[in-house]
Amino acid sequence: MTRYVVIGGGAVGGLLAAQLELAGVASVLVARGAQLAAIREHGLRIRRPHGDDVVPLTVAGGPDEVRLTTDDVLVLATKAQDAEAALIDWAWRPVHDDDGIPNGLGADLPILTVQNGLTTEDDALRRFGRVYGVTVAVAASYLVAGEVVNPSFPVVGVVWLGRFPDRAGDEDQERFARDLTAAGFGVHSVPDISAWKARKLLGNVRNGLDLLDGSDEEKARAGALLVSEAEAAYAAAGIVPAAADAMRVGAGLTFAPVPGHVPGRLSTWQSFARGTSSEVDHLNGEIVRLGRRHGVATPVNERLQRLLGAQAAAGLPPGTNRVRDLLTVTADAGA
């Protein structure tokens, strides 16, 4: 029987494991720290608009606590900055058949990569032969150990799933799509997952604005500059994202208030608020990398990356930097 080993116990990983469990699909959630301890003791509480679910989960603190079998599917649900270390941790673990006999390595199992950005799938290919990229549209928050807030209904989130490198789907891909659908997600099984990853990143480059002090008008202006630079870098690199309208229509999520929850905080803000590592190098930093490789200036993305990188290194809270520091960057560069 298929079992999903969900590596990363944050908002997305926790929600995935809980929803699979509620659907009767076997899973184990790999978490750490206070999140691991809370789930072990109390289960994972999913806070929803119309009431909470407390889901008992099988949890583990790392690969040493999981005995992999040939029926397992790995789901890499860490943040992008933590993906490489996780890939190393899991690729060379022994895998056992139904009789308990060693029969291969973790790298032989299929792996679903749920990261923002454009690089994790290629990183996975260095070790794993069956890589399936996943793009997730979900309003999920993890700020309190043992809790994930999910204000979406009737589906809990939407995923785009496809084999990487881009190609037509196979039987495994359709099996994963069925299981995720049963778990309450809206699922799009696609042959061009790279295009959907690229489209998601065009939205993610604005995530860091959530951490800056400034007006809505200033953030809208800065967001437009960030996206314009990203589109120019894509064009130079030959990257064609999926159509914006297709992603908006495909998501089709409906939201309602969750008592006591302040909505609108994106994943980047959540990481800073918890004092964990920053994904900005894989969001704005990815645009900067593409620009440098292809001779396209990306000064606004670069300044946002630098501001938030230094902020994270110093352990400073959201609101430390100002949006106006981005809006002056083209003038500083002589534009």
Side-chain angles (χ1 to χ4, degrees), residues 230-242:
E231 291 173 334
Y234 279 3
I239 296 171
V240 180

Side-chain angles (χ1 to χ4, degrees), residues 54-253:
V54 178
V55 186
L57 292 174
T58 301
V59 288
D64 290 340
E65 298 179 21
V66 180
R67 188 172 185 272
L68 293 174
T69 76
T70 52
D71 293 325
D72 285 338
V73 178
L74 302 180
V75 182
L76 189 62
T78 65
K79 290 293 182 65
Q81 68 270 20
D82 300 318
E84 175 70 3
L87 290 167
I88 294 169
D89 280 346
W90 290 87
W92 312 123
R93 300 286 168 168
V95 172
H96 302 81
D97 64 19
D98 293 339
D99 296 320
I101 298 171
N103 185 13
L105 298 168
D108 300 320
L109 299 174
I111 186 167
L112 279 60
T113 51
V114 191
Q115 286 62 42
N116 290 327
L118 306 179
T119 61
T120 303
E121 289 71 37
D122 267 323
D123 291 341
L125 281 179
R126 291 192 179 96
R127 303 172 181 89
F128 292 83
R130 291 184 285 166
V131 177
Y132 298 82
V134 179
T135 293
V136 181
V138 62
S141 300
Y142 160 48
L143 293 171
V144 176
E147 290 187 2
V148 171
V149 180
N150 178 229
S152 308
F153 71 95
V155 297
V156 299
V158 178
V159 302
W160 288 262
L161 165 71
R163 185 74 184 262
F164 186 88
D166 296 340
R167 66 185 71 172
D170 54 23
E171 290 183 3
D172 281 342
Q173 180 172 324
E174 298 313 310
R175 172 166 56 99
F176 306 148
R178 288 193 300 271
D179 287 344
L180 290 171
T181 299
F185 291 86
V187 180
H188 302 271
S189 185
V190 299
D192 55 347
I193 190 59
S194 296
W196 296 95
K197 290 271 183 174
R199 172 52 60 185
K200 178 79 179 300
L201 182 57
L202 287 179
N204 291 146
V205 296
R206 294 176 291 201
N207 282 17
L209 297 175
D210 211 20
L211 290 153
L212 304 187
D213 183 47
S215 67
D216 290 344
E217 188 274 336
E218 287 175 322
K219 291 185 179 183
R221 287 168 54 201
L225 292 171
L226 292 165
V227 173
S228 178
E229 288 181 0
E231 291 173 334
Y234 279 3
I239 296 171
V240 180
D245 287 346
M247 178 161 273
R248 282 194 294 268
V249 172
L253 293 173

Side-chain angles (χ1 to χ4, degrees), residues 31-53:
R32 58 188 179 184
Q35 180 78 327
L36 173 65
I39 297 171
R40 272 185 169 154
E41 184 171 359
H42 303 293
L44 181 62
R45 181 179 297 274
I46 308 297
R47 297 182 55 207
R48 308 187 195 271
H50 309 299
D52 297 354
D53 287 316

